[in-house]
Structures are given as structure tokens and as C-alpha cells.
Amino acid sequence: MQRLAPAALLLLCLAAPALAQQLDLSHGGPIDITARDGIEWRQAEREVIARGDARAIRNNVTVTADRLTAWYRKKGGNGAAATPAPTTGLAGDTSTEGNEVYRLQADGNVHIFTQTDQAVGDRAVYDLDQAVLVMTGRHLKLTTPNDVITARDDLEYWPQKHMAVARGDAVVVTNDAKRIAADTLVAYTTENAPPGAQPAANHAATQAAAKPQEDPLASSGKLQRVEAFGHVSIRTPTDTVTGDRGVYVLDTGMARLGGNVQITRGQNQLNGAEADVNMKTGIATLVARSAGRVHGLVVPNDQTNKGLGVTQPTASAAKPGTAAKPKP
């Protein structure tokens, strides 16, 4: 075991190509680790512990925490003896080139960020073999230029699969204020643009794109689809729609909820098997099962019932397969 000096910089090298990814530590060059209170190298356990304002940087991804622990192995995972620890801890030391980090853990005031994306929590574990980040603790949040995802229990981020999983009072809010909540949310993003990608545009734009991609937004994926499970809730400017499960596709702006669906507007309430919600217009459409009915309660004196499309005080007499279409 060797304790390195405070604020020492340690290079842990990994053999992998450099690629632009969101919060992805599994690609790039060496991992630079610094700390205020010192870095401890435990050769027998093959781990490095950085304490006090600890920071790890790889490519364009930075991890900060009260404490960072990195586990390493011989490249190829053959279990051979670890390369001896450096005697100085100075930047540029090459005695760790035969090792690779396969797991990084951050504890206390964790903040992981790039130019565009960031995640915060109490604890984070990054499995570099699986390329998955798991965050736990209070106030879990994943923020991109396009959306914010929060959770109570845990937050998984799979950058190479372009997927995030939030559990426990999970909420996703888009940059245009669309909101979906559920027990569990699975969010899928589009692939981020690779460096140097050239858009199909006019000649001037093509010439400008001839250089490596400089726009940081190009390296942040766009939210494509959200799958929701358990106590699903979608709010529009006029309605609150709840159900057991749901899917929201951002390109179309349409969300479909299923299982014990309920649409509430003011004091009015409609119940059915499924509902389609147009998140762009705010129109919610209740859908009955093929052999079922839609049910509702419309309060005559409630001014919001004017957009429900129901002329009777209740919708219980609606024909099978019909749907009440509230308007914003």
C-alpha cells in the first residue's frame, strides 16, 4: 500500500478508442485522478482511493465526489500480478500502462458531467465493462439540454444503449415542460452525432462542418421515447391522465396509457381501458375496450366540461368503442 501526496495526479490507462459519448467513461484515454487529501494505492487489493474533493477525468467526462475508488486489473483481465505503483505520482508516469480500470465508485456529493449533460446523487458506481452508471441516494437527477429525469430509489444510465432507467417516484420533464411520472420510467434517446458529422444542408453549412464537430449539443442525444410503469401520470395544461402503464413518443407528441385509465379535468372525470394523449395539443381521448364502455362523471356547473364533448351529466350511457374527446 502506498499513499501518494495530496493533490497528486494519477494516470490509470485503458486501451480503448476515443469516442464522443454522454457521461460515458468506458471510452477514451487515461483516467486522471486528483484529490485534496491524498491518493492511496492499495496494490494487494488493486484499488486506488482518492479522498477530499476527489476528481476523475477521462476524455470529456468529469466525476467529482468526496471519495473516489477505482478498481483495476491487468489488461485483458488475465489476473496477472499488478504493475508496481509509481514512486512519484507525477503526471506522465507510464508505470500503470499495463493496467485498466474496470470499476469506479464515487461517494458523497457526486457530480458527473460533460459540457452538456450532468448527473448528481449521493453515490455512483460505474461498471466500465458493462458501460452502465448506477446512482443511488437522495435527490437523484440526470439533466441534458433536452430533458430532466429525477428518481427517489436509483437511476441507471446506459450511454451506449442510449437508455436511462429511473425508479421510485420517477419523473421526466422535457425542455418544453411536458411531464410524465411513474414508479419506473425507461427513457430512450437518439444516437448522438459523431465527431465531424456533416449535416445535409447548404454549401456554407457543409463547409463549416468539414471541421470536427464543435457544437457540444451534437454530443447529447435527444429524448425519443419514454416507457412508464406503475402509477403513471401525465399532466397537460387542462387534464391529468393516470393509468397503470404508458408509452410516450416525442416525435409524434402522442402518449398512450393503459390499465385503469382516468382523465380528470376540474371536477369532471372519465374512466376507461386506454387513453391517447396528444401532448402537443393537450387533447386526451378515452378509448373503450372492444367489448367495454367508457364511464364518466361530468359536473354540470363546472365550466371545464365544455371541452369534454359530453352532453349528458354522465357518460355511462356511451356506446361501446366511443370516446370522449376533451378539448383544451
Side-chain angles (χ1 to χ4, degrees):
M1 180 178 73
Q2 182 172 352
R3 185 177 296 275
L4 305 183
L9 186 147
L10 180 67
L11 296 183
L12 296 176
C13 299
L14 288 85
L19 298 174
Q21 296 284 342
Q22 314 117 295
L23 302 183
D24 189 357
L25 285 169
S26 61
H27 292 284
I31 296 180
D32 301 342
I33 301 177
T34 61
R36 183 190 63 230
D37 298 336
I39 299 176
E40 181 179 340
W41 189 305
R42 298 182 176 179
Q43 298 181 58
E45 295 84 359
R46 299 187 184 182
E47 66 182 34
V48 175
I49 302 174
R51 297 183 176 89
D53 191 23
R55 182 179 299 261
I57 302 175
R58 189 180 200 201
N59 217 12
N60 65 335
V61 182
T62 301
V63 182
T64 63
D66 296 337
R67 169 181 166 134
L68 288 174
T69 306
W71 286 268
Y72 66 94
R73 66 192 173 203
K74 201 73 172 178
K75 286 181 180 177
N78 55 14
T83 302
T87 57
T88 62
L90 298 176
D93 191 291
T94 59
S95 62
T96 60
E97 288 185 353
N99 297 323
E100 61 181 5
V101 174
Y102 64 91
R103 182 184 176 92
L104 181 69
Q105 178 175 311
D107 295 284
N109 299 303
V110 179
H111 185 201
I112 305 173
F113 58 94
T114 65
Q115 285 183 287
T116 59
D117 304 349
Q118 61 176 318
V120 295
D122 290 335
R123 186 170 186 260
V125 177
Y126 202 109
D127 185 326
L128 279 77
D129 290 336
Q130 300 295 322
V132 57
L133 168 68
V134 180
M135 303 193 71
T136 55
R138 298 171 299 171
H139 311 302
L140 300 174
K141 180 187 290 187
L142 173 63
T143 304
T144 76
N146 303 301
D147 54 85
V148 176
I149 301 175
T150 58
R152 181 195 63 219
D153 298 337
D154 62 72
L155 185 58
E156 293 181 12
Y157 183 62
W158 301 76
Q160 295 181 18
K161 295 182 179 180
H162 310 288
M163 179 179 73
V165 183
R167 298 183 179 89
D169 291 336
V171 177
V172 58
V173 179
T174 64
N175 57 6
D176 57 353
K178 304 297 190 300
R179 183 184 187 275
I180 299 178
D183 293 340
T184 301
L185 289 174
V186 183
Y188 298 89
T189 62
T190 57
E191 292 189 19
N192 49 293
Q198 297 186 8
N202 55 39
H203 178 73
T206 302
Q207 291 297 318
K211 299 179 180 180
Q213 182 60 254
E214 298 178 353
D215 182 6
L217 293 179
S219 63
S220 182
K222 179 182 178 183
L223 190 62
Q224 185 179 48
R225 187 174 83 256
V226 178
E227 298 176 357
F229 306 92
H231 300 95
V232 181
S233 173
I234 295 178
R235 296 178 185 174
T236 73
T238 58
D239 303 326
T240 298
V241 188
T242 60
D244 296 334
R245 58 192 179 278
V247 178
Y248 173 37
V249 180
L250 275 79
D251 283 345
T252 63
M254 295 299 298
R256 166 155 286 199
L257 276 70
N260 301 306
V261 172
Q262 183 177 100
I263 300 176
T264 303
R265 174 183 290 187
Q267 300 182 63
N268 304 301
Q269 180 177 302
L270 298 174
N271 304 302
E274 294 181 337
D276 290 331
V277 183
N278 189 323
M279 301 289 280
K280 295 180 179 180
T281 65
I283 297 176
T285 303
L286 197 64
V287 181
R289 292 188 179 91
S290 57
R293 307 169 75 90
V294 294
H295 302 273
L297 173 65
V298 178
V299 179
N301 294 327
D302 191 333
Q303 295 299 313
T304 62
N305 66 12
K306 294 180 180 180
L308 289 173
V310 180
T311 57
Q312 298 179 355
T314 66
S316 59
K319 295 181 180 179
T322 61
K325 300 181 179 180
K327 299 180 181 179

